[in-house]
Amino acid sequence: MIQSRHTATFSALRRSPRVLVGVAALGVFSAVAVPAAVAATSTSSPVYYACASKTSGALRQVGASTACRSWERRISWNQRGVPGTPGKQGLTGATGSAGPTGATGPTGATGPTGATGPAGATGAPGLSGYQAVSSTYQLPGLNAGEFRTYCPAGEQVLGGGYTSDVNVQNAPQVNLVAAGPMDGTPTGDYYAVTLSNFQDPTATGSTVNVTVTATCATTTTAGGAAAARRLTSAPRPGVVHLQRLTAVR
């Protein structure tokens, strides 16, 4: 930019056609002889000096310390012009390709222990001490009776069954009346089978051997304690309701 102390000099030159020619000539002159007129005090924005004739406007480029003649005016300017207006924003460039995957970082510090979760739902009652208990009884011909096998004290009956030694030929004469587990009775838990034997008591092999089996176990409550079972000192008969049958003619 032209330094402010020489603005008046350029204003005076613009009033004379010859000065304008001189200024144009200065552009040509400075283009071929810039190094001689550049001030040594600046490298980023160099200053140029010249002497302009007061009458003809002719320019004579001089150094920074050269004095002009009496019929000349001293002028100076720098090489950098006024900054131009900023250009428009350019278009967005294409998206670049993805860079390589970075290296795995170090393992982070262990986090604090989480809070204790809520208590889970109460589980179903469990079983322990599972066992099968059996008892064998005899049922003579033309008799009916109920046969029981008891669980040990404090245990619960879960189920059971029975077997007999009646042969296939005589099986239709031995009938099952009832069978099943009995829970919570005064005499404790047991499995009972009721049979009727219509065989001729005088015939060989008319007596039937009956084996009754009860499956038993100790049950636990929801809290894990053994379930309370009724304990009694009442008699626990194995054969009950034994009665004589009438022969069918």
Side-chain angles (χ1 to χ4, degrees), residues 12-212:
L13 292 177
R14 292 191 187 99
R15 290 194 293 268
S16 170
R18 291 178 296 177
V19 172
L20 293 176
V21 173
V23 172
L26 176 61
V28 176
F29 179 81
S30 62
V32 297
V34 166
V38 176
T41 57
S42 176
T43 57
S44 60
S45 182
V47 179
Y48 303 94
Y49 299 90
C51 294
S53 174
K54 297 178 182 178
T55 57
S56 65
L59 295 179
R60 181 171 60 87
Q61 191 170 9
V62 297
S65 60
T66 303
C68 292
R69 301 182 180 110
S70 59
W71 63 84
E72 295 175 327
R73 287 191 179 91
R74 183 178 178 83
I75 62 173
S76 64
W77 67 96
N78 59 15
Q79 188 178 18
R80 181 175 299 175
V82 178
T85 303
K88 294 182 179 179
Q89 176 70 37
L91 298 176
T92 301
T95 302
S97 58
T101 302
T104 302
T107 302
T110 302
T113 302
T116 302
T122 301
L127 297 176
S128 63
Y130 181 89
Q131 60 179 316
V133 182
S134 298
S135 302
T136 301
Y137 306 96
Q138 289 186 334
L139 177 61
L142 288 183
N143 276 273
E146 178 183 320
F147 306 96
R148 301 175 181 178
T149 294
Y150 292 86
C151 288
E155 292 192 6
Q156 180 179 0
V157 62
L158 305 178
Y162 82 98
T163 59
S164 71
D165 63 353
V166 63
N167 59 45
V168 175
Q169 182 179 358
N170 296 329
Q173 300 182 70
V174 179
N175 301 324
L176 174 65
V177 179
M182 302 301 291
D183 186 8
T185 68
T187 56
D189 289 8
Y190 62 87
Y191 192 86
V193 176
T194 301
L195 297 171
S196 58
N197 182 3
F198 289 97
Q199 296 183 88
D200 183 356
T202 63
T204 302
S206 61
T207 298
V208 176
N209 293 305
V210 180
T211 300
V212 180

